[in-house]
Amino acid sequence: MFPSLWSFGRSLVRMLLTTIVTDLPMDFDTDPQLQAAYDFVVVGGGTSGSVVASRLAEVPSWRVLLLESGGSATPETAVPAFSLLAMDGDNKWDYRVAPQAHAQYNFKGHSSPYPLGKGMGGSSSINLMTHVRGNKRDYDNWAHLGNLGWDYHSVLPYFRKSEDFHGKVTNDNSEFHGFGGPLSVEAQSWSTPVQDALLDGGRELGYPVIDPNGYSQIGFSALDLTTHRGIRSSASESYLRPNIYRKNLDICTHAHVTKITFDDYNRAVGVRFLRKGEKEQEVFVSREVILSAGAVNTPQILLLSGIGGRHQLHKLGIFVNADVPGVGANLQDHPTVYGLTWKIKRGMGQNLINMVDPSVFADYRLHKRGVLTSPFGLEGKAWTSLGYTVDPAWPDLEFTVFSAHPALDNGFRIADMMGFERKFFGRYFSPLFGREGFTIAPMLTRPKSRGSVTLSSSDPTEPPIIDPNFLSSSEDVDSLIDGIKFSLLLGNTSSFRDALEAEFHDQALPGCEDLPYGGDAYWGCYVRHMTASSYHPAGTCKMAVAHDPMGVVSNRLKVRGVSSIRVADASVMPVLPSGGLHAACIMIGEKAADIIKEDWGVIF
Ligand SMILES: Cc1cc2nc3c(=O)[nH]c(=O)nc-3n(C[C@H](O)[C@H](O)[C@H](O)COP(=O)(O)OP(=O)(O)OC[C@H]3O[C@@H](n4cnc5c(N)ncnc54)[C@H](O)[C@@H]3O)c2cc1C
Ligand SMILES: *[C@@H]1O[C@H](CO)[C@@H](O)[C@H](O)[C@H]1NC(C)=O
């Protein structure tokens, strides 16, 4: 609503941070002199790309170039409590979700902003830092679909290799964790009474407290975060910063890749990019191009390079190098129901005032503890398998509990960040202005709906069309209704009612007022009006067996129809994991690097 005031606030925060945080994100904007050719060019300095580039550069004879469209991560990304600022600033693409036919009815234009990370670290520099790998069965399912080598037993070593675990080690979970890896993971050390109520409420409903990355994922949990001494450990900070001394690794920021070029045999030989927006240049590649531009931009680059469905490319006048119809198809994202809010007693929840106390900054600076170490409002998660059909240990719903609500800032900024229609927002949320409260957000772990990423234009600087096609499968609506009912049960446990005086905001939802309050039809209407993205795009260059017509990469991550290009990022996931995507993208980067080394005969 007040963007200039907001960006002024952000500048103030940045100035303040440069004086109190000693460990700000590294400056990668060194504008290096590039060589004419490299053995490997990695496109995208985000989550998977940082891992791939750093691991490939371990081979001294390989010259590796990393090209990143954005710049260095800004100071506010370092501090977990400023995660809202981080995802709203200069570290993201200005993307929106295409207008949704089946969901987001209370969002402006049935759409919303889609803040994917841009700049070093990519989405790992702006995400909420929760470390949830997903379920054993997610990866066993990838293998079951024909992707040899991606079962849980085969990927667990890479989750462990990446990790430097500082969370709580028990007899049950130690075999699942890694120690001494590049990515620091810490137990969330600050929380409000909402977290206690959550874990107690879970026990009341018969659920254990678990480590979701351990043996079983059905239960409740406080969170492990990808932080190091209370500071965000993004992929670029964890993987690239310690490798910056390597002479064979060049990192070039503000380099927006436009196209891959081929020889007459469809072998990738070069990468074109716009450096600092100036005229296009090209570097040559003697071994391979690795695309790690994320599940939106990786298919975009392939399409711009003439790899994709013939019809789509023809329409835009792009020469077809390989007819691969799966490029950009199979888009999946976890749908989340936003807006289920409870009012609570004052002093029990998260509050912006908590953060402006000078002692808070002193404590953070000296001891790396306190409210600033925790992503704003995040208290914990739960996983259930109420509607399971396959396996009761494979969660179909994840619940995130926030000690904050969308109206916490009285409509100042959060409403627009989430993309709510303003009139609706005022009508439904204004009774919560100035009130403390908590939200339970049910998220579907394995939605049935599938969407797509397509080109809007052959201009590589134009955003692609991102259509997750949320709730196009009505089964997704039914599962989310179950999710709402479980949330209501949880919010009404005596743990929440007695300790916090929790009271559900039970005003009829604008758009659903004509339906009998609280019935299935009402909650179904609520789902269609209030469901939107978790910012987890994946699947747009699906890894699949050769006879699957919609597959894009093999289990060795090689792109079909051409040679010397692989994809390593969220795009290759055939099906979403039952958690966040960050840990899985790190794992994919680690495994991709070993596959590449193996294929080139490097002993490791
Ligand atoms: C706001 C938000 C909150 C999230 N919260 C969590 C969470 O708490 N836990 C969790 O597990 N997951 C979370 N996620 C999801 C997770 O962080 C991402 O799915 C994951 O990091 C994606 O990794 P990636 O490697 O596929 O892509 P990215 O990390 O997005 O990297 C892609 C990189 O490629 C660059 N790029 C794109 N196009 C080009 C081009 N043409 N030329 C050069 N470079 C290019 C981008 O700028 C970017 O740096 C969140 C995501 C977001 C956006
Ligand atoms: C909450 O639980 C109490 C006691 O179990 C019950 O009487 C009440 O009806 C419940 N309220 C809602 C809204 O479900």
Side-chain angles (χ1 to χ4, degrees):
M1 202 179 201
F2 308 101
S4 58
L5 189 57
W6 182 237
S7 50
F8 175 69
R10 187 162 44 226
S11 312
L12 271 184
V13 167
R14 273 186 203 162
M15 258 158 50
L16 188 70
L17 287 181
T18 49
T19 64
I20 61 162
V21 181
T22 44
D23 225 8
L24 287 175
M26 165 135 193
D27 178 10
F28 287 95
D29 300 336
T30 53
D31 213 11
Q33 175 89 43
L34 300 188
Q35 298 170 32
Y38 289 85
D39 292 279
F40 293 92
V41 175
V42 179
V43 178
T47 310
S48 306
S50 297
V51 181
V52 172
S54 72
R55 292 295 188 196
L56 293 182
E58 290 172 350
V59 181
S61 63
W62 284 353
R63 294 159 305 159
V64 178
L65 172 64
L66 176 65
L67 296 172
E68 165 54 47
S69 185
S72 299
T74 55
E76 68 273 18
T77 61
V79 183
F82 296 149
S83 48
L84 276 179
L85 271 184
M87 76 171 77
D88 193 33
D90 311 325
N91 308 286
K92 66 159 174 34
W93 294 87
D94 277 321
Y95 289 160
R96 293 187 70 81
V97 169
Q100 295 297 289
H102 310 287
Q104 296 203 237
Y105 297 163
N106 274 336
F107 292 74
K108 201 171 160 195
H110 297 189
S111 162
S112 52
Y114 208 51
L116 305 180
K118 178 178 187 175
M120 294 308 292
S123 297
S124 76
S125 291
I126 65 168
N127 71 13
L128 280 182
M129 288 160 275
T130 63
H131 190 64
V132 183
R133 296 168 176 172
N135 195 274
K136 172 183 189 295
R137 290 145 195 87
D138 295 324
Y139 304 102
D140 287 345
N141 185 42
W142 290 9
H144 177 73
L145 295 168
N147 301 298
L148 220 70
W150 292 86
D151 57 292
Y152 185 66
H153 180 73
S154 304
V155 301
L156 180 60
Y158 292 105
F159 282 119
R160 296 183 49 182
K161 180 182 186 185
S162 68
E163 195 176 35
D164 188 15
F165 187 63
H166 301 277
K168 192 172 166 201
V169 179
T170 64
N171 285 338
D172 285 341
N173 77 353
S174 61
E175 64 178 297
F176 296 92
H177 286 290
F179 305 89
L183 184 71
S184 170
V185 175
E186 300 175 317
Q188 183 178 9
S189 65
W190 188 92
S191 61
T192 72
V194 172
Q195 186 178 81
D196 302 324
L198 169 65
L199 300 181
D200 290 344
R203 283 187 204 101
E204 235 178 280
L205 297 175
Y207 286 88
V209 172
I210 53 157
D211 173 353
N213 300 314
Y215 177 71
S216 160
Q217 207 192 343
I218 303 294
F220 282 56
S221 136
L223 291 166
D224 288 331
L225 303 171
T226 41
T227 56
H228 177 63
R229 304 200 64 234
I231 287 177
R232 179 192 296 269
S233 41
S234 69
S236 47
E237 287 296 296
S238 315
Y239 279 85
L240 291 173
R241 189 177 189 149
N243 283 293
I244 201 72
Y245 71 92
R246 292 188 192 274
K247 293 272 185 302
N248 63 333
L249 173 63
D250 283 341
I251 296 172
C252 185
T253 57
H254 301 289
H256 182 73
V257 170
T258 53
K259 186 179 184 149
I260 298 163
T261 56
F262 297 92
D263 68 9
D264 293 343
Y265 308 97
N266 257 4
R267 199 180 87 83
V269 290
V271 176
R272 293 213 181 132
F273 58 99
L274 296 161
R275 194 170 178 182
K276 295 193 164 164
E278 285 162 13
K279 78 174 201 315
E280 208 167 47
Q281 4 180 319
E282 182 164 352
V283 285
F284 295 98
V285 186
S286 58
R287 293 177 198 256
E288 292 189 26
V289 178
I290 320 297
L291 287 176
S292 300
V296 168
N297 295 91
T298 287
Q300 181 192 31
I301 294 168
L302 284 173
L303 292 166
L304 291 167
S305 309
I307 304 166
R310 194 155 38 95
H311 301 295
Q312 187 187 166
L313 297 177
H314 275 162
K315 258 197 303 199
L316 291 163
I318 297 172
F319 179 81
V320 181
N321 281 306
D323 181 15
V324 187
V327 175
N330 190 47
L331 173 63
Q332 298 168 49
D333 185 348
H334 288 130
T336 294
V337 180
Y338 295 100
L340 298 172
T341 307
W342 284 255
K343 291 169 273 190
I344 53 178
K345 203 162 67 176
R346 191 166 285 284
M348 292 286 152
Q350 178 58 293
N351 193 313
L352 292 164
I353 305 296
N354 285 344
M355 302 211 296
V356 293
D357 184 336
S359 73
V360 159
F361 285 89
D363 218 25
Y364 188 60
R365 182 194 164 104
L366 296 173
H367 309 293
K368 296 290 190 291
R369 68 182 183 208
V371 58
L372 295 180
T373 63
S374 186
F376 186 79
L378 195 68
E379 299 289 344
K381 288 188 191 266
W383 294 266
T384 64
S385 60
L386 302 166
Y388 78 88
T389 47
V390 185
D391 185 337
W394 199 4
D396 46 22
L397 287 161
E398 175 184 286
F399 301 83
T400 304
V401 179
F402 295 94
S403 53
H405 56 77
L408 189 84
D409 64 348
N410 300 346
F412 176 72
R413 184 64 199 159
I414 298 172
D416 287 343
M417 280 178 70
M418 299 186 68
F420 284 120
E421 206 271 312
R422 272 279 161 192
K423 251 221 264 20
F424 151 76
F425 185 84
R427 278 177 60 203
Y428 187 59
F429 284 112
S430 58
L432 297 167
F433 283 11
R435 293 292 305 262
E436 277 181 36
F438 68 91
T439 303
I440 304 180
M443 177 192 103
L444 198 54
T445 54
R446 286 182 310 287
K448 298 277 192 305
S449 305
R450 297 288 181 270
S452 62
V453 171
T454 48
L455 293 184
S456 62
S457 142
S458 58
D459 178 347
T461 61
E462 283 295 315
I465 300 163
I466 308 164
D467 183 5
N469 207 8
F470 288 123
L471 310 184
S472 50
S473 161
S474 62
E475 283 175 64
D476 290 355
V477 177
D478 296 340
S479 306
L480 286 168
I481 294 173
D482 289 347
I484 292 182
K485 288 180 180 166
F486 185 81
S487 304
L488 295 173
L489 208 62
L490 176 60
N492 192 36
T493 51
S494 62
S495 315
F496 278 107
R497 261 185 301 130
D498 299 347
L500 306 179
E501 294 173 15
E503 189 192 324
F504 185 60
H505 178 53
D506 62 359
Q507 182 187 326
L509 187 78
C512 305
E513 292 125 318
D514 294 342
L515 295 164
Y517 180 88
D520 277 9
Y522 174 81
W523 291 122
C525 178
Y526 197 103
V527 167
R528 294 237 183 244
H529 282 72
M530 299 298 281
T531 298
S533 173
S534 311
Y535 315 130
H536 292 174
T540 48
C541 299
K542 182 171 81 163
M543 172 167 60
V545 286
H547 61 259
D548 179 342
M550 296 309 275
V552 176
V553 301
S554 67
N555 67 330
R556 307 297 284 179
L557 305 179
K558 284 190 163 170
V559 176
R560 281 186 191 182
V562 291
S563 58
S564 307
I565 309 182
R566 291 188 220 237
V567 175
D569 61 25
S571 318
V572 304
M573 299 177 177
V575 185
L576 283 168
S578 311
L581 264 57
H582 177 257
C585 287
I586 297 274
M587 177 277 286
I588 289 169
E590 289 278 15
K591 189 165 164 71
D594 269 10
I595 288 175
I596 294 165
K597 288 175 178 174
E598 206 171 276
D599 285 357
W600 288 96
V602 173
I603 314 288
F604 55 92

